[in-house]
Amino acid sequence: MDFRNNRLLNLHWRMLLYFLYCSRFRIGLLVFIELIISINSKGDWLMQGIVMSITPKTVPMLWFFIIIYSQLMVGDSSRKMVKIFFPHHIRFSLTNLIISVFLTNTFITCISGLVILLKCSPPFAIYTFFVIWTLTISFSLLSLFIKPIYLHLFSIILLICVTYLDWPKFLSYTMISRFQAAKASFNYFTLGIILLTVVIFTNIKIKNFDFYQ
Amino acid sequence: MPIIKLDHVSKTIKQRQILDDICLDLNQQLVYGFAGANGSGKTMLLKSIIGFVHPNSGSIEVMGQKIRKDVLFSPKIGFSFGTEGLLPILDGKTNLQLILSAESLPSPAKKIEAMLELVGLDPHDRRKVKSYSLGMQERLSLGCALINDQPIIILDEPTNGIDKKGQEFLVTLIKDLKKRKKTVLLTSHDEKFLALVSDQIYEISEGRIIE
């Protein structure tokens, strides 16, 4: 199969390149690399979060940054891709464009996931990868209908709740100090429900969507 | 039977009436011009016909298909909205390649090169679109509208950024499209240009059609 003549593959590849070319992504990647190089060599410290027996005084910033990094990198790019790029290339189905969004989001999430995997145990790293992936995809799809700034604010409030209230549990487990491998499997189910809900919501709302700048 | 039919189409955005109860029957193989001040609703009308904008009420039918009901967007329309939709980090050829639908053609590359030459661009120019002048981007956008040889062509402000020679080229092109039995819808602030190319002109003001 000639890649150049396969428009679908070409589309997905172009979308990824378009995203990588975005200055926000390149700057964010540099910041991320700089941060990771500067941290302690002990892997557990990376996602330690708060120590359970002590009342947290501040949100653990490194954990916070790693969880929210992918969303910050996505920003409004999904919104632009669907609202502006898609209508001008309408021979591709909307499903294929959403797949492109999934692929670029997965790529970004892999950056965080790889770092966590290098520094932390595989069960924890895999679980955290899926949490970040679900949050990033949900952010991308919801940003079609809700301004990204409001979604960022919601994410920040959620992470603060996780720090001080230990809720929601599926997010709380992204801190090593709170992670329980045995109970994590139930949270995978929760992640699946969240993703399915967002995808169904998108399918319903997209029919009344306005595709313009 | 009209090729495009708008039946009591209205659209409100942030409590502002953009389109107000528009009823329009457009017949095939004619050139329709839409004139009006900035913000009158010309572009929104064209985008509604394609399906980019979902009307709050009314229905739009293009070649027998109800837009947003039978299809999300009409597949029968080639369109140009200035520089919107062009990918600035790609060259002109790749932009057209992403739009070209007939991948079963034995040599799509030749078709793309021919289209670039038709609109006055160099097929061997590897520069990214972001380094094009406004006029060049408009020409590329025109190529995007024409590449798939669709029966309906929509051009929004095609005279933007175009010099006198470019305007002459546009006039010739639109007349050629009419000879090839295309239906053309276009907007412009240049009433002389519209009068030169259009079979019928509609004036739009505050979202309403004034014939």
Side-chain angles (χ1 to χ4, degrees):
Chain A
M1 180 174 64
D2 188 346
F3 173 75
R4 286 168 303 172
N5 285 336
N6 187 312
R7 280 184 307 113
L8 201 55
L9 279 180
N10 208 356
L11 167 71
H12 294 316
W13 176 240
R14 293 295 172 193
M15 285 294 97
L16 189 60
L17 283 183
Y18 183 69
F19 183 79
L20 291 178
Y21 197 81
C22 172
S23 57
R24 177 179 58 240
F25 174 78
R26 287 180 291 173
I27 291 168
L29 186 61
L30 284 171
V31 168
F32 190 80
I33 292 169
E34 176 67 32
L35 195 67
I36 298 308
I37 288 170
S38 68
I39 64 168
N40 193 292
S41 59
K42 280 188 182 178
D44 283 357
W45 189 86
L46 177 69
M47 298 296 279
Q48 188 64 30
I50 59 110
V51 177
M52 285 183 77
S53 59
I54 298 171
T55 306
K57 290 183 182 172
T58 58
V59 175
M61 291 315 293
L62 193 54
W63 164 83
F64 178 90
F65 177 72
I66 287 173
I67 298 295
I68 211 163
Y69 170 77
S70 301
Q71 288 181 37
L72 291 174
M73 289 305 99
V74 168
D76 63 351
S77 59
S78 298
R79 191 176 165 96
K80 278 185 182 167
M81 268 169 54
V82 173
K83 282 194 122 181
I84 299 166
F85 175 74
F86 171 63
H88 295 265
H89 298 79
I90 56 175
R91 267 147 295 284
F92 298 107
S93 70
L94 186 58
T95 307
N96 278 313
L97 192 80
I98 301 292
I99 291 171
S100 262
V101 170
F102 267 66
L103 288 174
T104 48
N105 284 203
T106 304
F107 175 79
I108 299 160
T109 312
C110 281
I111 295 171
S112 305
L114 196 64
V115 168
I116 299 169
L117 187 64
L118 287 172
K119 296 283 187 181
C120 306
S121 66
F124 172 78
I126 291 168
Y127 175 79
T128 307
F129 170 81
F130 277 109
V131 170
I132 297 173
W133 185 73
T134 303
L135 291 177
T136 309
I137 300 273
S138 303
F139 172 85
S140 278
L141 294 179
L142 291 174
S143 70
L144 302 181
F145 315 104
I146 304 167
K147 281 188 180 172
I149 185 74
Y150 296 130
L151 293 171
H152 284 315
L153 282 170
F154 177 75
S155 297
I156 290 168
I157 292 167
L158 206 60
L159 293 179
I160 292 171
C161 285
V162 166
T163 304
Y164 293 103
L165 305 176
D166 193 15
W167 181 89
K169 276 293 182 191
F170 76 88
L171 211 46
S172 202
Y173 277 28
T174 56
M175 293 186 182
I176 282 186
S177 54
R178 291 175 177 173
F179 180 72
Q180 296 178 52
K183 292 184 181 178
S185 50
F186 176 76
N187 287 339
Y188 280 114
F189 178 72
T190 308
L191 294 176
I193 296 289
I194 291 170
L195 207 51
L196 194 63
T197 307
V198 170
V199 168
I200 291 171
F201 174 79
T202 303
N203 266 328
I204 294 168
K205 287 286 280 181
I206 205 86
K207 289 178 180 131
N208 297 334
F209 194 64
D210 284 334
F211 296 87
Y212 69 96
Q213 237 164 334
Chain B
M1 187 180 160
I3 196 170
I4 296 171
K5 188 176 170 64
L6 282 83
D7 189 26
H8 297 287
V9 170
S10 294
K11 177 69 180 178
T12 307
I13 296 172
K14 291 180 184 173
Q15 288 154 355
R16 189 176 155 235
Q17 192 82 37
I18 306 296
L19 299 174
D20 190 0
D21 195 40
I22 296 204
C23 295
L24 206 56
D25 286 346
L26 303 175
N27 296 315
Q28 54 188 334
Q29 299 173 25
L30 291 175
V31 179
Y32 294 93
F34 293 89
N38 287 340
S40 58
K42 305 187 297 297
T43 302
M44 208 51 82
L45 176 65
L46 297 185
K47 287 187 173 179
S48 300
I49 290 170
I50 300 169
F52 285 9
V53 172
H54 183 246
N56 299 120
S57 62
S59 66
I60 300 171
E61 209 171 292
V62 176
M63 294 185 74
Q65 289 179 311
K66 284 207 164 107
I67 303 301
R68 291 298 185 113
K69 286 180 183 157
D70 299 332
V71 288
L72 183 63
F73 302 146
S74 172
K76 305 290 185 187
I77 302 176
F79 52 85
S80 163
F81 286 94
T83 57
E84 250 183 65
L86 296 177
L87 286 179
I89 61 164
L90 302 176
D91 60 25
K93 201 169 174 178
T94 313
N95 267 276
L96 283 179
Q97 193 181 0
L98 285 175
I99 287 177
L100 183 62
S101 67
E103 60 186 353
S104 58
L105 277 180
S107 51
K110 281 191 180 166
K111 181 164 182 173
I112 291 169
E113 281 174 17
M115 181 52 64
L116 285 168
E117 281 175 1
L118 176 70
V119 297
L121 294 174
D122 179 4
H124 304 294
D125 189 350
R126 284 287 170 263
R127 284 181 299 159
K128 294 183 172 59
V129 165
K130 64 179 183 177
S131 64
Y132 282 13
S133 66
L134 178 61
M136 288 172 73
Q137 289 185 30
E138 292 278 352
R139 286 173 183 265
L140 179 61
S141 183
L142 198 57
C144 293
L146 303 174
I147 189 80
N148 287 307
D149 201 28
Q150 278 134 321
I152 303 169
I153 305 293
I154 286 181
L155 304 174
D156 186 44
E157 305 283 355
T159 52
N160 263 0
I162 300 277
D163 54 24
K164 192 179 175 189
K165 200 174 168 186
Q167 274 212 14
E168 287 167 6
F169 159 75
L170 263 177
V171 170
T172 311
L173 177 71
I174 291 168
K175 288 182 176 173
D176 181 60
L177 287 173
K178 192 179 168 187
K179 273 186 203 166
R180 286 163 49 201
K181 297 183 181 176
K182 306 289 182 191
T183 306
V184 181
L185 281 65
L186 58 130
T187 67
S188 182
H189 289 117
D190 187 340
E191 290 185 4
K192 280 184 190 171
F193 170 76
L194 281 182
L196 203 54
V197 298
S198 308
D199 296 307
Q200 189 163 354
I201 297 175
Y202 291 99
E203 180 83 24
I204 297 179
S205 176
E206 295 178 349
R208 283 185 162 266
I209 297 235
I210 306 163
E211 286 188 69

Short mmCIF file of all heavy atoms in Angstrom, two decimals, chain A residues 53-92:
data_model
loop_
_atom_site.label_atom_id
_atom_site.label_comp_id
_atom_site.label_asym_id
_atom_site.label_seq_id
_atom_site.Cartn_x
_atom_site.Cartn_y
_atom_site.Cartn_z
N SER A 53 -0.76 10.13 55.73
CA SER A 53 -1.05 10.37 57.14
C SER A 53 -0.95 11.84 57.51
O SER A 53 -1.28 12.23 58.61
CB SER A 53 -0.09 9.56 58.00
OG SER A 53 1.22 9.94 57.69
N ILE A 54 -0.49 12.65 56.61
CA ILE A 54 -0.31 14.07 56.94
C ILE A 54 -1.33 14.90 56.15
O ILE A 54 -1.52 14.70 54.97
CB ILE A 54 1.12 14.55 56.60
CG1 ILE A 54 2.15 13.75 57.43
CG2 ILE A 54 1.29 16.03 56.82
CD1 ILE A 54 3.58 13.99 57.03
N THR A 55 -1.94 15.81 56.83
CA THR A 55 -2.91 16.68 56.15
C THR A 55 -2.16 17.54 55.12
O THR A 55 -1.22 18.24 55.47
CB THR A 55 -3.60 17.62 57.14
OG1 THR A 55 -4.16 16.83 58.18
CG2 THR A 55 -4.70 18.42 56.45
N PRO A 56 -2.54 17.44 53.89
CA PRO A 56 -1.81 18.18 52.85
C PRO A 56 -1.99 19.69 53.03
O PRO A 56 -3.08 20.16 53.32
CB PRO A 56 -2.44 17.69 51.56
CG PRO A 56 -3.77 17.20 51.94
CD PRO A 56 -3.70 16.71 53.33
N LYS A 57 -0.90 20.40 52.85
CA LYS A 57 -0.98 21.86 52.91
C LYS A 57 -0.99 22.47 51.52
O LYS A 57 -1.50 23.55 51.30
CB LYS A 57 0.20 22.40 53.73
CG LYS A 57 0.08 22.07 55.21
CD LYS A 57 1.19 22.66 56.03
CE LYS A 57 1.02 22.23 57.49
NZ LYS A 57 2.16 22.61 58.31
N THR A 58 -0.37 21.77 50.58
CA THR A 58 -0.34 22.29 49.21
C THR A 58 -0.57 21.15 48.24
O THR A 58 -0.33 19.98 48.57
CB THR A 58 1.02 22.92 48.87
OG1 THR A 58 2.02 21.92 49.04
CG2 THR A 58 1.32 24.14 49.68
N VAL A 59 -1.03 21.51 47.05
CA VAL A 59 -1.18 20.51 45.99
C VAL A 59 0.22 20.14 45.51
O VAL A 59 1.02 21.02 45.23
CB VAL A 59 -2.00 21.10 44.82
CG1 VAL A 59 -2.05 20.11 43.66
CG2 VAL A 59 -3.39 21.48 45.27
N PRO A 60 0.53 18.84 45.43
CA PRO A 60 1.87 18.44 44.97
C PRO A 60 2.06 18.83 43.51
O PRO A 60 1.41 18.26 42.62
CB PRO A 60 1.88 16.91 45.16
CG PRO A 60 0.47 16.52 45.34
CD PRO A 60 -0.30 17.68 45.80
N MET A 61 2.93 19.79 43.26
CA MET A 61 2.98 20.43 41.94
C MET A 61 3.49 19.54 40.83
O MET A 61 3.03 19.63 39.71
CB MET A 61 3.81 21.72 42.02
CG MET A 61 3.17 22.83 42.83
SD MET A 61 1.40 23.09 42.47
CE MET A 61 1.47 23.70 40.80
N LEU A 62 4.45 18.69 41.14
CA LEU A 62 4.99 17.84 40.07
C LEU A 62 3.92 16.86 39.58
O LEU A 62 3.73 16.67 38.38
CB LEU A 62 6.22 17.09 40.59
CG LEU A 62 7.09 16.42 39.54
CD1 LEU A 62 7.53 17.40 38.47
CD2 LEU A 62 8.31 15.77 40.18
N TRP A 63 3.23 16.25 40.52
CA TRP A 63 2.13 15.34 40.18
C TRP A 63 1.07 16.09 39.38
O TRP A 63 0.58 15.63 38.34
CB TRP A 63 1.54 14.77 41.47
CG TRP A 63 0.21 14.13 41.31
CD1 TRP A 63 -0.07 12.87 40.87
CD2 TRP A 63 -1.07 14.73 41.57
NE1 TRP A 63 -1.42 12.64 40.85
CE2 TRP A 63 -2.06 13.78 41.28
CE3 TRP A 63 -1.47 15.99 42.05
CZ2 TRP A 63 -3.43 14.03 41.44
CZ3 TRP A 63 -2.82 16.25 42.21
CH2 TRP A 63 -3.78 15.28 41.89
N PHE A 64 0.72 17.27 39.87
CA PHE A 64 -0.29 18.12 39.24
C PHE A 64 0.08 18.41 37.78
O PHE A 64 -0.73 18.28 36.87
CB PHE A 64 -0.40 19.42 40.04
CG PHE A 64 -1.38 20.41 39.47
CD1 PHE A 64 -2.71 20.38 39.86
CD2 PHE A 64 -0.98 21.37 38.56
CE1 PHE A 64 -3.62 21.29 39.34
CE2 PHE A 64 -1.88 22.27 38.03
CZ PHE A 64 -3.19 22.24 38.42
N PHE A 65 1.33 18.79 37.59
CA PHE A 65 1.78 19.16 36.25
C PHE A 65 1.75 17.96 35.29
O PHE A 65 1.30 18.09 34.15
CB PHE A 65 3.21 19.73 36.31
CG PHE A 65 3.78 20.06 34.97
CD1 PHE A 65 3.32 21.14 34.25
CD2 PHE A 65 4.78 19.26 34.40
CE1 PHE A 65 3.84 21.44 32.99
CE2 PHE A 65 5.30 19.55 33.15
CZ PHE A 65 4.84 20.65 32.44
N ILE A 66 2.18 16.80 35.79
CA ILE A 66 2.21 15.62 34.92
C ILE A 66 0.81 15.20 34.53
O ILE A 66 0.55 14.81 33.38
CB ILE A 66 3.00 14.47 35.59
CG1 ILE A 66 4.48 14.83 35.56
CG2 ILE A 66 2.76 13.14 34.90
CD1 ILE A 66 5.36 13.89 36.32
N ILE A 67 -0.13 15.29 35.47
CA ILE A 67 -1.52 14.90 35.15
C ILE A 67 -2.13 15.86 34.14
O ILE A 67 -2.84 15.45 33.21
CB ILE A 67 -2.39 14.85 36.43
CG1 ILE A 67 -1.87 13.80 37.41
CG2 ILE A 67 -3.85 14.56 36.08
CD1 ILE A 67 -1.92 12.36 36.93
N ILE A 68 -1.86 17.13 34.28
CA ILE A 68 -2.54 18.13 33.44
C ILE A 68 -1.77 18.49 32.18
O ILE A 68 -2.28 19.19 31.30
CB ILE A 68 -2.85 19.39 34.29
CG1 ILE A 68 -4.12 20.06 33.79
CG2 ILE A 68 -1.67 20.35 34.33
CD1 ILE A 68 -4.72 21.02 34.74
N TYR A 69 -0.52 18.00 32.08
CA TYR A 69 0.35 18.37 30.96
C TYR A 69 -0.30 18.11 29.60
O TYR A 69 -0.27 18.97 28.71
CB TYR A 69 1.68 17.61 31.08
CG TYR A 69 2.57 17.72 29.87
CD1 TYR A 69 3.29 18.87 29.63
CD2 TYR A 69 2.66 16.66 28.95
CE1 TYR A 69 4.10 18.97 28.50
CE2 TYR A 69 3.46 16.76 27.84
CZ TYR A 69 4.18 17.91 27.62
OH TYR A 69 4.98 18.01 26.50
N SER A 70 -0.84 16.91 29.44
CA SER A 70 -1.40 16.54 28.13
C SER A 70 -2.53 17.49 27.72
O SER A 70 -2.64 17.89 26.57
CB SER A 70 -1.93 15.12 28.15
OG SER A 70 -0.92 14.22 28.48
N GLN A 71 -3.38 17.83 28.66
CA GLN A 71 -4.49 18.74 28.36
C GLN A 71 -3.96 20.11 27.95
O GLN A 71 -4.49 20.74 27.03
CB GLN A 71 -5.37 18.92 29.59
CG GLN A 71 -6.19 17.72 29.95
CD GLN A 71 -7.04 17.97 31.15
OE1 GLN A 71 -7.57 19.08 31.35
NE2 GLN A 71 -7.19 16.97 31.99
N LEU A 72 -2.92 20.56 28.65
CA LEU A 72 -2.35 21.87 28.32
C LEU A 72 -1.78 21.86 26.90
O LEU A 72 -1.89 22.83 26.17
CB LEU A 72 -1.25 22.24 29.32
CG LEU A 72 -1.72 22.56 30.74
CD1 LEU A 72 -0.52 22.77 31.65
CD2 LEU A 72 -2.63 23.78 30.75
N MET A 73 -1.17 20.73 26.53
CA MET A 73 -0.59 20.62 25.19
C MET A 73 -1.69 20.57 24.12
O MET A 73 -1.55 21.10 23.04
CB MET A 73 0.30 19.39 25.08
CG MET A 73 1.60 19.51 25.84
SD MET A 73 2.56 20.97 25.38
CE MET A 73 2.11 22.09 26.71
N VAL A 74 -2.76 19.88 24.43
CA VAL A 74 -3.86 19.81 23.45
C VAL A 74 -4.48 21.20 23.27
O VAL A 74 -4.71 21.64 22.15
CB VAL A 74 -4.92 18.79 23.91
CG1 VAL A 74 -6.19 18.93 23.07
CG2 VAL A 74 -4.38 17.38 23.81
N GLY A 75 -4.75 21.86 24.38
CA GLY A 75 -5.31 23.21 24.32
C GLY A 75 -6.56 23.27 23.46
O GLY A 75 -7.47 22.48 23.62
N ASP A 76 -6.56 24.18 22.50
CA ASP A 76 -7.73 24.30 21.63
C ASP A 76 -7.49 23.69 20.26
O ASP A 76 -8.22 23.95 19.30
CB ASP A 76 -8.11 25.77 21.48
CG ASP A 76 -7.02 26.58 20.81
OD1 ASP A 76 -5.91 26.03 20.63
OD2 ASP A 76 -7.24 27.74 20.47
N SER A 77 -6.47 22.85 20.14
CA SER A 77 -6.12 22.30 18.82
C SER A 77 -7.19 21.35 18.30
O SER A 77 -7.49 21.33 17.11
CB SER A 77 -4.76 21.60 18.85
OG SER A 77 -4.78 20.56 19.79
N SER A 78 -7.80 20.56 19.20
CA SER A 78 -8.86 19.66 18.74
C SER A 78 -10.04 20.47 18.22
O SER A 78 -10.63 20.14 17.19
CB SER A 78 -9.34 18.77 19.87
OG SER A 78 -8.30 17.96 20.34
N ARG A 79 -10.35 21.51 18.94
CA ARG A 79 -11.47 22.38 18.56
C ARG A 79 -11.21 22.98 17.17
O ARG A 79 -12.08 22.98 16.31
CB ARG A 79 -11.56 23.48 19.60
CG ARG A 79 -12.77 24.35 19.59
CD ARG A 79 -12.65 25.28 20.81
NE ARG A 79 -13.55 26.39 20.75
CZ ARG A 79 -14.75 26.42 21.33
NH1 ARG A 79 -15.16 25.39 22.01
NH2 ARG A 79 -15.52 27.48 21.23
N LYS A 80 -9.98 23.43 16.98
CA LYS A 80 -9.62 24.02 15.67
C LYS A 80 -9.65 22.97 14.57
O LYS A 80 -10.11 23.23 13.46
CB LYS A 80 -8.22 24.64 15.72
CG LYS A 80 -8.18 26.00 16.32
CD LYS A 80 -6.79 26.59 16.23
CE LYS A 80 -6.79 27.95 16.90
NZ LYS A 80 -5.42 28.43 17.14
N MET A 81 -9.14 21.81 14.90
CA MET A 81 -9.10 20.74 13.88
C MET A 81 -10.51 20.39 13.41
O MET A 81 -10.76 20.25 12.22
CB MET A 81 -8.44 19.47 14.46
CG MET A 81 -6.95 19.42 14.20
SD MET A 81 -6.09 18.12 15.11
CE MET A 81 -6.99 16.66 14.66
N VAL A 82 -11.43 20.25 14.34
CA VAL A 82 -12.78 19.84 13.96
C VAL A 82 -13.56 21.02 13.37
O VAL A 82 -14.26 20.87 12.38
CB VAL A 82 -13.52 19.26 15.18
CG1 VAL A 82 -14.98 18.98 14.84
CG2 VAL A 82 -12.85 17.97 15.64
N LYS A 83 -13.42 22.18 13.97
CA LYS A 83 -14.24 23.32 13.53
C LYS A 83 -13.77 23.92 12.21
O LYS A 83 -14.59 24.38 11.43
CB LYS A 83 -14.22 24.43 14.58
CG LYS A 83 -15.11 24.19 15.77
CD LYS A 83 -15.29 25.46 16.57
CE LYS A 83 -16.76 25.78 16.63
NZ LYS A 83 -17.12 26.97 17.33
N ILE A 84 -12.47 23.93 12.04
CA ILE A 84 -11.94 24.65 10.87
C ILE A 84 -11.37 23.70 9.81
O ILE A 84 -11.70 23.81 8.65
CB ILE A 84 -10.88 25.68 11.30
CG1 ILE A 84 -11.52 26.70 12.23
CG2 ILE A 84 -10.24 26.36 10.10
CD1 ILE A 84 -10.54 27.55 12.98
N PHE A 85 -10.55 22.75 10.23
CA PHE A 85 -9.93 21.86 9.25
C PHE A 85 -10.94 20.91 8.63
O PHE A 85 -11.00 20.74 7.42
CB PHE A 85 -8.79 21.08 9.90
CG PHE A 85 -8.18 20.07 8.98
CD1 PHE A 85 -7.36 20.46 7.94
CD2 PHE A 85 -8.46 18.73 9.13
CE1 PHE A 85 -6.81 19.52 7.07
CE2 PHE A 85 -7.92 17.78 8.27
CZ PHE A 85 -7.09 18.18 7.24
N PHE A 86 -11.74 20.27 9.49
CA PHE A 86 -12.63 19.22 9.01
C PHE A 86 -13.58 19.67 7.91
O PHE A 86 -13.71 19.00 6.88
CB PHE A 86 -13.41 18.63 10.19
CG PHE A 86 -14.50 17.69 9.77
CD1 PHE A 86 -14.23 16.52 9.11
CD2 PHE A 86 -15.83 18.01 10.03
CE1 PHE A 86 -15.24 15.66 8.71
CE2 PHE A 86 -16.85 17.16 9.64
CZ PHE A 86 -16.55 15.98 8.98
N PRO A 87 -14.28 20.80 8.09
CA PRO A 87 -15.25 21.16 7.04
C PRO A 87 -14.63 21.31 5.66
O PRO A 87 -15.29 21.13 4.66
CB PRO A 87 -15.80 22.51 7.53
CG PRO A 87 -15.55 22.53 8.97
CD PRO A 87 -14.28 21.79 9.17
N HIS A 88 -13.35 21.66 5.62
CA HIS A 88 -12.72 21.87 4.31
C HIS A 88 -12.15 20.58 3.74
O HIS A 88 -11.58 20.58 2.66
CB HIS A 88 -11.63 22.94 4.44
CG HIS A 88 -12.21 24.27 4.79
ND1 HIS A 88 -12.51 25.21 3.84
CD2 HIS A 88 -12.57 24.79 5.97
CE1 HIS A 88 -13.03 26.27 4.44
NE2 HIS A 88 -13.07 26.04 5.73
N HIS A 89 -12.30 19.50 4.48
CA HIS A 89 -11.82 18.21 3.97
C HIS A 89 -12.92 17.18 4.20
O HIS A 89 -12.70 16.11 4.74
CB HIS A 89 -10.54 17.80 4.70
CG HIS A 89 -9.43 18.78 4.47
ND1 HIS A 89 -9.34 19.97 5.15
CD2 HIS A 89 -8.40 18.77 3.61
CE1 HIS A 89 -8.28 20.64 4.72
NE2 HIS A 89 -7.68 19.94 3.79
N ILE A 90 -14.13 17.54 3.78
CA ILE A 90 -15.29 16.77 4.21
C ILE A 90 -15.45 15.43 3.52
O ILE A 90 -16.38 14.72 3.77
CB ILE A 90 -16.58 17.57 4.03
CG1 ILE A 90 -16.71 18.04 2.57
CG2 ILE A 90 -16.63 18.73 4.97
CD1 ILE A 90 -18.00 18.75 2.26
N ARG A 91 -14.53 15.10 2.65
CA ARG A 91 -14.61 13.77 2.09
C ARG A 91 -14.20 12.74 3.13
O ARG A 91 -14.49 11.56 3.01
CB ARG A 91 -13.75 13.63 0.82
CG ARG A 91 -14.57 13.90 -0.43
CD ARG A 91 -13.74 14.55 -1.52
NE ARG A 91 -13.31 15.87 -1.10
CZ ARG A 91 -14.10 16.93 -1.07
NH1 ARG A 91 -15.36 16.85 -1.41
NH2 ARG A 91 -13.64 18.09 -0.70
N PHE A 92 -13.53 13.19 4.17
CA PHE A 92 -13.23 12.29 5.27
C PHE A 92 -14.42 12.32 6.22
O PHE A 92 -14.95 13.35 6.52
CB PHE A 92 -11.98 12.77 6.03
CG PHE A 92 -10.76 12.77 5.17
CD1 PHE A 92 -10.21 13.95 4.72
CD2 PHE A 92 -10.14 11.59 4.82
CE1 PHE A 92 -9.08 13.96 3.92
CE2 PHE A 92 -9.01 11.59 4.02
CZ PHE A 92 -8.49 12.79 3.58
#
